[in-house]
Amino acid sequence: MLDTPEAVVEALRENHDRPHGLHRTVTAEEIVDAAELLDEPDTLVTALLELMASYEFTGEHRKSPVVFARLLKLWDTVPDTFSQWEAHQVFWRFKWVATSLLQVPEVPLAAIHGWIDTMRGRYAAADHGMQPVAAMRYHVANHTGTGLADAYDLWATRARTELSDCEACEIRHLAEHQVESGDDAGALEIWGPVLEGETGCTEEPQLSRSRSLLPLLRAGRADEARSHHLSGYRQVRGNTGTQDAVGLHLEFCALSRNEGRGLEILAENRPLFEATGAPLAHLGFLTGAGVLLTRLVEDRHADTAVAGPPGRDWTAGTLLAHVRSEAGRLAAAFDTRNDTSTVGDRFRTRLAQRPLLDEPLPLGLRTRATRPAASVAATAVAVTPTAGADLSDVATLVREARRLAAAGHPGETRLWDRIEERLADGSFAHDDELGPQDLLTAELAEQRAYKLAKNDRDEESATELKRAAELYEGLGMPWHALNARSRSLAWPTSSEDTDREAIRAGLDTVLAEAERLQAQAPLTADTALEYLTVRYAATYAAYQDALRDLPETEGTAAERFHAQARTLRGEAERLSVPHHVANALQLTADLAGRGGDTEAAEELLRAALDAVDASARPWRGSRPRALLAQFLLAKGEPDEAAELLHRALADAARYDDTDFALAPTYSLLGHAASHLGDLGGAVRHLSEAAALFDQDGEHTEAIDVRLQLADVLGRSGRSEDAVAVLESLLADEAQAPDNERAFAQARLSLARGLRELGEHLPAAEEFLRLADTVAGWEDDRPVQTLVAAEAAITLAMADRWDAADTAYERAVAAHAEAPNPSLIISMMCQFARLTVQARAAQGLEAALEHLARADAVRAGVPQDAEDFAHWYERGTVHYRRACVLAEAERFEEALPEAEAAIAAHEEGGEHGEVPRAEAVRIAALIEGKGLALFQKAIARLTTAAARCRDAGHPGAADVLEALRQDYLRR
């Protein structure tokens, strides 16, 4: 019952701790109603301020001015009931009312100017500076487009006052002015302190992150744009008070060619279609949605299902029409109110934008809503045709495909695809100049077989190759026929259910036929290639057999492979075909590396690359380079590995090698960049790898790469980005039940990331979900101890003490079955710290009990236990006991504990120097600030700082020296 001032104040305190949203707003309204009945003006003032804040931060700008009018009446009638902070808020919130009135098109412009005049008069009467008033006049000018230059000068040139917008928000407004003036570079320079985390507030940096997305893309700073989307969107999603920022993220997705991500955001924010309390912000959300939908419709995806206003089904086309209508109506209402076309012009300009990138910017996210693939007709073809060749002519297209095929150029694939398309749509008329129809039919059958084999459709692939062989036989092309037949046998050898004996017998027959043909007529340059391809097929089949026998490297299968590889290499050298020499070396190297002989593998791959260089077929170097890079990374040589991987990717793009494994290569490059300390490059490459694995349907590999990506982001200090990646990954957990362990690792990383960001309750919820997952892992009991302990700590941080205590005891019980003494001691010390912080002196006894239990755990560990440093754990407990005693101002007892911590860490030698220095700092704080023994503390700090410098720990020395200087000044 809210029938006393005390009850109302307590309710206000509880409500203030809730996140902004409908629940908090409705409760604030109820509290105001109750406060009005008490005839206690001071309580009503506090309740009205809380309600106004709720309206402000949930986008209820129509209601906010009404609440302020009631506050202003109280200010005029009973000013003494306002505390100093509340009095400050009255003047501060004049600005809120001005911006709220600007949000609503039904409010006449004259009324807004009149309100700003009132604000000016109130400020002048209270002797406040006029800069905030100038800022409000600028916002009106910027909104209407009238008198903007003068208004900007009057605002930007005035000195800030205590009632000016916070520095971070003012930086945002200054930067936005530069963006609207066309100066992206100037805007990004101004934005620096906010975007780099030097200054912030409740609205920043998330609003600046959303507004800087397109300027960053236009400036070529795509990595930063990606980061701001990942971290910034998490902070604005689903929030009616930041719906215009959600619109900017939708716009970014559209213009960075991430339409699938945009559709996902649209679905997550469906309720915002009905959030009309702030019409100008709502127009911003609708405009962002319109940019996304316009891109989809213009790219021929008008029929794609999308999420729109609740109550009906929508397609991109129907929702775009609705958005254009609603947004157009709002823009027209503002322009009518303002008597300008500024708002409508901005709306139309945004809708007319085109993508800023040629290819999608990899975001590192698992996007569940995917954009349909572009139509084949719209797909660009990147090949290396003969200069001046007209590829719209079918005959020329076939001749070019054959020319590239004869050279082994990977660009042939797209040309054969186009020929297939022309056949399928009936626009192909066979030209006798191209030779027999059966020849083209056989060539296309080989292409289909290759694609089928890539998709593990071995039986269908073999059927196509056998058909091609029959056609070649009928055309009197025995070598071509033998080539196709050898591949029909060799390609399925990677399947587990292959009849290996039958394959070997078949290939032996083919090889015998090849020898017979070779004896009948000398090999020409063309038939030599066909002969060596037959040899390669036999070698490849033997390679697959040898792979199955690994880790055995000396058996029959290995012997057969090495014999085939030697023959292929020898014949290729005899016939002067270096690329087949490279093939033999590469297969041999791969098998050696898998068998553990990486030194031999490296030597063979370098020889293979020499053979590629001699072959005049440079496109064949990408695969051996990627494989060599893999071995070099394992050896700890990331520099050369990164160089090789960059070259492999560049050649694959240059020669249009669509079959090159891009996803694993980008993943390796991400590893190399990470090892080289190039964390930005690692993020970029791992994001690309994850997107490519998704595209290839390799979801397990994509999960693994995203876990690595999150780790790199976390190590580079971008915890918010890491959390965004992990959240997107876990959203698909139910779709991949076979990846329970990987998802458990992701959830653990997510929980830790959320805790690091201070989002303790969501972090605790993730730990509890993880505890449910690992509860059944009988083969991995230690992880249950880990999860219970971390859940306990996080629940305590979230002030959920009952649940924290339960998790604490669960961790202790799990430790009894799966010991992890260091973890449990750490948990108990953390509980001691948190207990004192939460309950002050009243929590001291409980804190000391936690530390006594930690001592008991430590004492129970044998002295010779591996992976347990007694000196460190003993020092940790003494250190924490010193801290909690000092927190309770029991300094005489705290100092001996700090001394004991110093002595314990002394036993650790060089490994104990840093924790010892921290224990010294605590001892000096107790001596100086607790016991006023400044000279003793100074002497201690002087000695310890010198010791740290001598031991090579300048950071620790600087901390101690700073405290020493502070004491010297006293």
Side-chain angles (χ1 to χ4, degrees):
M1 292 290 292
L2 301 179
D3 53 2
T4 66
E6 293 76 17
V8 169
V9 169
E10 181 58 31
L12 283 168
R13 186 177 294 112
E14 289 182 8
N15 201 41
H16 185 74
D17 291 338
R18 293 189 176 102
H20 284 292
L22 182 61
H23 185 194
R24 178 168 172 172
T25 301
V26 170
T27 303
E29 291 171 339
E30 293 171 350
I31 293 172
V32 167
D33 291 342
E36 284 186 309
L37 300 176
L38 296 176
D39 195 25
E40 293 280 351
D42 55 340
T43 304
L44 180 58
V45 166
T46 307
L48 287 169
L49 285 168
E50 169 65 21
L51 178 58
M52 188 176 181
S54 295
Y55 285 152
E56 177 73 16
F57 291 106
T58 54
E60 291 289 352
H61 290 279
R62 295 180 186 275
K63 299 178 181 179
S64 185
V66 177
V67 178
F68 188 74
R70 296 170 68 184
L71 271 169
L72 202 57
K73 184 176 180 180
L74 288 168
W75 173 257
D76 289 337
T77 56
V78 284
D80 292 343
T81 63
F82 286 73
S83 69
Q84 184 177 357
W85 179 83
E86 289 169 341
H88 178 80
Q89 286 299 302
V90 169
F91 288 98
W92 184 270
R93 296 189 187 191
F94 267 97
K95 299 180 295 180
W96 288 13
V97 174
T99 54
S100 291
L101 295 174
L102 203 62
Q103 280 273 346
V104 183
E106 293 85 356
V107 177
L109 203 59
I112 299 172
H113 285 301
W115 177 257
I116 297 175
D117 289 340
T118 299
M119 176 182 171
R120 176 185 174 83
R122 295 273 188 167
Y123 272 44
D127 201 27
H128 290 305
M130 291 295 117
Q131 197 260 12
V133 177
M136 292 304 104
R137 295 201 189 282
Y138 165 75
H139 292 318
V140 174
N142 183 55
H143 172 67
T144 63
T146 302
L148 180 58
D150 290 342
Y152 176 78
D153 287 341
L154 286 171
W155 162 52
T157 57
R158 288 179 182 265
R160 287 173 48 77
T161 74
E162 64 173 351
L163 289 171
S164 296
D165 283 346
C166 80
E167 185 179 4
C169 287
E170 195 155 273
I171 284 173
R172 180 180 78 245
H173 296 315
L174 290 166
E176 285 178 313
H177 182 83
Q178 298 304 315
V179 171
E180 291 167 4
S181 302
D183 183 6
D184 287 338
L188 293 171
E189 183 176 356
I190 291 170
W191 252 318
V194 175
L195 297 180
E196 292 164 15
E198 296 173 13
T199 184
C201 66
T202 56
E203 295 182 337
E204 292 296 345
Q206 58 266 31
L207 296 187
S208 287
R209 284 171 174 167
S210 63
R211 284 159 172 75
S212 66
L213 291 169
L214 296 187
L216 285 166
L217 275 188
R218 289 192 291 261
R221 292 161 63 174
D223 288 348
E224 293 166 80
R226 177 198 298 110
S227 176
H228 292 338
H229 172 65
L230 293 179
S231 56
Y233 173 66
R234 287 190 70 251
Q235 297 172 293
V236 301
R237 63 185 175 195
N239 187 345
T240 55
T242 55
Q243 60 175 311
D244 50 344
V246 175
L248 290 168
H249 283 278
L250 288 169
E251 182 178 47
F252 164 78
C253 290
L255 302 183
S256 66
R257 295 187 182 272
N258 280 285
E259 293 90 343
R261 168 68 170 164
L263 291 176
E264 189 173 272
I265 290 175
L266 204 61
E268 288 179 341
N269 293 275
R270 198 172 190 180
L272 296 186
F273 282 104
E274 299 178 318
T276 58
L280 188 59
H282 190 55
L283 174 59
F285 167 71
L286 292 175
T287 303
V291 175
L292 172 67
L293 295 165
T294 297
R295 297 268 33 86
L296 288 170
V297 170
E298 290 188 358
D299 285 349
R300 305 179 186 178
H301 303 302
D303 295 332
T304 299
V306 299
R312 60 165 286 189
D313 294 331
W314 298 90
T315 65
T318 58
L319 184 57
L320 176 60
H322 172 79
V323 165
R324 282 183 178 272
S325 174
E326 285 297 300
R329 179 184 60 77
L330 280 174
F334 281 112
D335 283 345
T336 299
R337 191 266 303 271
N338 302 337
D339 195 27
T340 68
S341 64
T342 300
V343 175
D345 289 344
R346 288 172 178 164
F347 167 62
R348 288 181 287 274
T349 297
R350 285 177 67 184
L351 284 189
Q353 293 176 103
R354 293 292 180 269
L356 297 171
L357 303 175
D358 294 331
E359 298 291 336
L361 173 66
L363 300 177
L365 301 174
R366 173 76 176 104
T367 301
R368 298 174 299 286
T370 56
R371 172 187 173 180
S375 63
V376 175
T379 301
V381 175
V383 294
T384 312
T386 300
D390 178 13
L391 296 185
S392 63
D393 174 66
V394 178
T396 304
L397 195 59
V398 173
R399 279 192 287 270
E400 280 299 306
R402 287 174 175 168
R403 182 183 69 81
L404 293 180
H409 193 295
E412 66 168 308
T413 302
R414 290 190 195 269
L415 296 183
W416 291 117
D417 288 345
R418 287 182 62 179
I419 294 165
E420 285 267 35
E421 291 166 20
R422 300 293 293 271
L423 281 169
D425 67 17
S427 63
F428 181 91
H430 187 74
D431 189 332
D432 290 341
E433 293 182 7
L434 297 175
Q437 177 78 54
D438 281 355
L439 175 58
L440 182 58
T441 304
E443 291 167 327
L444 292 172
E446 288 185 285
Q447 292 298 316
R448 285 193 295 274
Y450 183 59
K451 291 180 185 175
L452 290 165
K454 283 201 304 178
N455 292 316
D456 297 323
R457 294 164 64 179
D458 295 327
E459 189 173 336
E460 296 167 82
S461 174
T463 299
E464 290 288 344
L465 284 168
K466 289 171 184 175
R467 180 186 177 208
E470 291 172 0
L471 289 167
Y472 285 132
E473 288 281 7
L475 291 166
M477 302 172 68
W479 277 114
H480 286 73
L482 209 57
N483 180 333
R485 195 152 60 243
S486 69
R487 285 179 287 139
S488 75
L489 291 164
W491 285 359
T493 53
S494 58
S495 300
E496 289 298 326
D497 56 354
T498 301
D499 185 341
R500 296 164 69 182
E501 290 295 335
I503 292 290
R504 281 197 290 268
L507 284 168
D508 286 344
T509 300
V510 169
L511 288 171
E513 178 65 14
E515 294 302 327
R516 187 186 67 80
L517 286 175
Q518 200 176 175
Q520 284 182 347
L523 293 171
T524 65
D526 291 337
T527 57
L529 288 175
E530 303 296 331
Y531 164 65
L532 289 173
T533 302
V534 171
R535 279 281 171 202
Y536 175 74
T539 306
Y540 178 76
Y543 160 79
Q544 291 290 344
D545 281 351
L547 281 183
R548 286 191 183 86
D549 282 3
L550 289 175
E552 175 60 53
T553 59
E554 302 294 334
T556 303
E559 291 174 5
R560 180 180 174 87
F561 164 73
H562 286 297
Q564 293 285 3
R566 282 194 299 272
T567 302
L568 172 61
R569 180 179 178 182
E571 289 294 88
E573 288 173 342
R574 177 177 70 83
L575 296 167
S576 300
V577 183
H579 72 267
H580 271 300
V581 173
N583 286 338
L585 291 167
Q586 183 180 335
L587 289 178
T588 308
D590 184 54
L591 197 62
R594 290 172 187 259
D597 191 353
T598 55
E599 196 170 312
E602 181 182 341
E603 184 179 345
L604 288 163
L605 285 168
R606 293 190 188 282
L609 287 170
D610 289 340
V612 168
D613 289 342
S615 73
R617 295 189 176 197
W619 48 84
R620 287 191 168 269
S622 293
R623 287 160 184 79
R625 283 192 179 90
L627 187 56
L628 177 56
Q630 188 174 347
F631 292 131
L632 290 172
L633 273 176
K635 279 178 60 180
E637 298 180 15
D639 297 77
E640 186 182 0
E643 184 180 338
L644 288 164
L645 292 165
H646 278 297
R647 172 74 183 277
L649 288 165
D651 282 352
R654 177 182 180 184
Y655 299 113
D656 194 33
D657 189 350
T658 56
D659 294 329
F660 181 64
L662 293 175
T665 307
Y666 273 110
S667 179
L668 285 172
L669 189 53
H671 282 297
S674 177
H675 286 301
L676 289 168
D678 178 13
L679 297 182
V683 169
R684 187 162 54 252
H685 303 317
L686 291 172
S687 298
E688 184 74 53
L692 290 166
F693 276 128
D694 283 341
Q695 183 178 309
D696 295 341
E698 302 288 349
H699 299 308
T700 298
E701 288 78 2
I703 290 169
D704 182 59
V705 167
R706 286 193 171 91
L707 285 171
Q708 298 168 41
L709 172 60
D711 177 65
V712 170
L713 287 166
R715 286 192 286 114
S716 61
R718 291 158 59 183
S719 298
E720 291 172 285
D721 295 15
V723 163
V725 169
L726 292 165
E727 285 177 335
S728 78
L729 193 161
L730 285 164
D732 276 352
E733 184 175 11
Q735 307 301 318
D738 295 337
N739 291 312
E740 183 183 62
R741 300 273 171 158
F743 281 119
Q745 179 59 56
R747 195 171 297 286
L748 177 62
S749 299
L750 174 59
R752 288 171 170 170
L754 289 168
R755 186 173 61 197
E756 185 178 338
L757 295 175
E759 299 179 32
H760 297 133
L761 188 55
E765 291 169 352
E766 294 297 338
F767 275 122
L768 293 174
R769 291 191 186 99
L770 182 58
D772 289 340
T773 298
V774 304
W777 291 8
E778 295 299 328
D779 61 331
D780 199 356
R781 302 302 292 275
V783 77
Q784 297 174 11
T785 308
L786 168 71
V787 173
E790 296 219 33
I793 294 167
T794 311
L795 284 162
M797 289 178 168
D799 203 28
R800 297 296 193 269
W801 283 97
D802 289 344
D805 290 340
T806 300
Y808 180 103
E809 295 303 336
R810 187 185 303 127
V812 172
H815 165 68
E817 295 187 24
N820 191 334
S822 295
L823 175 69
I824 294 300
I825 290 170
S826 175
M827 178 191 74
M828 291 170 171
C829 288
Q830 288 275 50
F831 257 70
R833 175 182 66 85
L834 294 167
T835 299
V836 169
Q837 287 180 354
R839 304 170 187 172
Q842 294 80 7
L844 177 61
E845 292 308 315
L848 292 175
E849 175 60 26
H850 288 306
L851 294 171
R853 294 182 73 175
D855 272 330
V857 171
R858 179 184 56 77
V861 180
Q863 287 297 316
D864 58 352
E866 293 184 7
D867 300 323
F868 187 86
H870 277 273
W871 63 267
Y872 177 80
E873 303 297 348
R874 187 171 68 256
T876 296
V877 177
H878 282 303
Y879 168 83
R880 184 53 57 197
R881 190 176 285 113
C883 290
V884 299
L885 287 166
E887 186 84 19
E889 299 186 357
R890 288 167 58 170
F891 302 114
E892 294 287 354
E893 298 169 72
L895 185 56
E897 290 295 329
E899 297 280 11
I902 294 169
H905 290 308
E906 186 81 41
E907 296 176 23
E910 63 179 16
H911 300 293
E913 286 296 334
V914 172
R916 181 188 182 281
E918 172 58 16
V920 168
R921 186 183 72 86
I922 289 298
L925 283 170
I926 294 168
E927 287 172 330
K929 297 187 177 181
L931 300 172
L933 301 173
F934 289 104
Q935 291 303 321
K936 185 176 179 181
I938 289 169
R940 183 192 297 275
L941 290 166
T942 301
T943 302
R947 174 170 172 160
C948 283
R949 293 198 190 281
D950 291 343
H953 300 292
D958 290 344
V959 170
L960 297 173
E961 181 61 27
L963 181 57
R964 175 177 173 274
Q965 291 297 327
D966 180 46
Y967 283 175
L968 285 171
R969 283 191 293 271
R970 291 168 185 250

